[in-house]
Amino acid sequence: MEIRPLDGVRVLELGNYVAAPTAGRILGDFGAEVIKVERPKTGDELRNWRLYGGDTSMLYRTVNRNKKSITLDLRTEAGRAIVLDLIAHCDVLLENFRPGMLEKWGLGPEALDAANPNLVITRISAYGQTGPLSQRPGFAAVAEAVGGLRELVGDPDRPPVRVGVSIGDSIAGIYAAFGTVMALFQRERADDRVPLPQRIIDVALNESILSVMESLVPDYLAYGINRERVGGRMEGIAPSNAYPCADGFSIIIGGNGDAIFQRYMQVIDRPDLAADPELQDNAGRWRNRDRLDASIAEWTRRHTRDAALRLLEAAAIPCGPIYTAADIVADEQYNARNMIQHFPVDVGASEPKQVGFTGIVPVIGERSLPIRNVGPDLGEHTREVLAGLLGLSDTEIDALEGR
């Protein structure tokens, strides 16, 4: 049985790139009908990012799965009028334009509210809809820096680096989806119409990053501590790092719990470290992190990756291999929970190829819910949506598409 908690919810997505489309993807994953509005002819720029073959990237297919694509030119009065007509049939408007752009087009919150007085309006921007920086453009790379993350990523003797995915956009998208569901929940519980300000979800990329920075700010204000980059470690927590093995692989081992540390040192044949009074708590182990890491690496270098992991797992030490995409696809745990789902996709070859896509998170009902479709072709559902919801004729739709 497919469990879709958001069945019956309709979302109009006016979003490009990653942040708003990630929010739309999450809502669509759990049953919402997400209608993605794209520019005619070119569509969302994500269609061409990391495009290795065919005409639509796997990045677009992933971020925009479980959606419908229609094309409308929001620079025209006709296109904007269609948006307002569609809004009357929707529960949510999701957008990530620069603040003020929707207002410039006559599609600001008041206009949307007039078209649908129960609409939830979810807005994602670099710095939020208010404040002195609200009009400043910005991508996730900048937000990750301003939010405090970039300063902590990398080795201490090198400039800060970026993680290999658009983490700022993704986190903002998760918050936007969560905020949307909260607003829908509030709307359902309210006895009266929820006021417009309470139906506007304002997600800022930089604030989304700041919100996951743990005690970064309180540590500074309480103790004057400015956290610094520590490479593969986590500041104040030891031993926890990546360690090289005899066969050229590295593994991650987290042995920073007091009881875990005792077992850990027995596994690596260092009972002397287990008994060392200086290493009985995490603060002491952090002060001695270099000595500990050197001792652990000396042990891992004598073992292959698989052998080291077997010994550690037998003692219930948190550990794991460092996976590539090939490892993930072959992993029995991911496959047991339906976390790799295959679809025939155009990759630019003579025939479609079966391509695996990552499953839906979180799991409901023991296995990942099935993905209904991967990201649609540009404008694939324009006629279905405009004829089905608005009753437009083929001639009217042709006129909108400039035919």
Side-chain angles (χ1 to χ4, degrees), residues 1 65 125 140 143 147 168 185 196 215 220 222 253 259 266 268 288 298 303 320 324 329 382 391 394:
M1 182 179 65
R65 69 188 185 198
S125 60
F185 184 60
L196 175 60
S215 60
Y220 169 71
I253 313 172
Q266 299 302 323
I268 70 168
N288 290 272
E298 181 182 357
H303 298 78
T324 64
V329 169
T382 300
D394 286 342

Side-chain angles (χ1 to χ4, degrees), residues 335-381:
N335 283 290
R337 287 167 63 85
N338 200 30
M339 279 295 161
I340 306 295
Q341 302 181 27
H342 291 83
F343 293 83
V345 180
D346 174 21
V347 296
S350 58
E351 296 290 336
K353 182 177 182 179
Q354 287 290 325
V355 177
F357 290 81
T358 54
I360 293 173
V361 178
V363 163
I364 302 177
E366 298 184 350
R367 300 178 81 240
S368 171
L369 299 179
I371 299 168
R372 301 191 298 284
N373 60 75
V374 293
D377 293 335
L378 179 61
E380 180 179 342
H381 304 93

Side-chain angles (χ1 to χ4, degrees), residues 49 64 77 101 167 190 242 253 283 287 308 352:
W49 287 16
N64 292 286
E77 289 187 11
M101 184 59 73
I167 192 70
I253 313 172
R287 289 192 296 270

Side-chain angles (χ1 to χ4, degrees), residues 263-313:
R263 299 195 305 273
Y264 189 7
M265 294 302 100
Q266 299 302 323
V267 170
I268 70 168
D269 303 319
R270 292 302 301 268
D272 58 311
L273 296 177
D276 188 336
E278 178 65 15
L279 304 177
Q280 298 309 300
D281 61 21
N282 200 62
R285 292 192 293 271
W286 177 250
R287 289 192 296 270
N288 290 272
R289 57 193 178 275
D290 291 335
R291 177 160 66 101
L292 279 172
D293 277 350
S295 299
I296 296 164
E298 181 182 357
W299 178 82
T300 57
R301 286 193 181 97
R302 299 198 303 266
H303 298 78
T304 65
R305 177 182 68 175
D306 291 346
L309 291 174
R310 281 196 300 269
L311 292 168
L312 292 163
E313 288 168 359

Side-chain angles (χ1 to χ4, degrees), residues 315-339:
I317 310 301
C319 61
I322 298 174
Y323 270 4
T324 64
D327 297 315
I328 291 169
V329 169
D331 183 81
E332 61 180 0
Q333 177 69 18
Y334 285 127
N335 283 290
R337 287 167 63 85
N338 200 30
M339 279 295 161

Side-chain angles (χ1 to χ4, degrees), residues 38-90:
E38 300 189 65
R39 293 184 295 267
K41 298 182 180 179
T42 57
D44 187 333
E45 290 186 36
L46 215 63
R47 288 183 178 275
N48 296 305
W49 287 16
R50 297 204 290 272
L51 177 60
Y52 304 115
D55 59 7
T56 302
S57 70
M58 296 304 113
L59 178 58
Y60 176 92
R61 299 281 191 198
T62 299
V63 175
N64 292 286
R65 69 188 185 198
N66 292 332
K67 298 179 186 178
K68 298 176 178 179
S69 169
I70 69 172
T71 55
L72 287 174
D73 190 346
L74 300 185
R75 296 169 300 179
T76 67
E77 289 187 11
R80 296 192 292 269
I82 292 293
V83 166
L84 289 175
D85 288 341
L86 287 171
I87 283 298
H89 300 274
C90 292

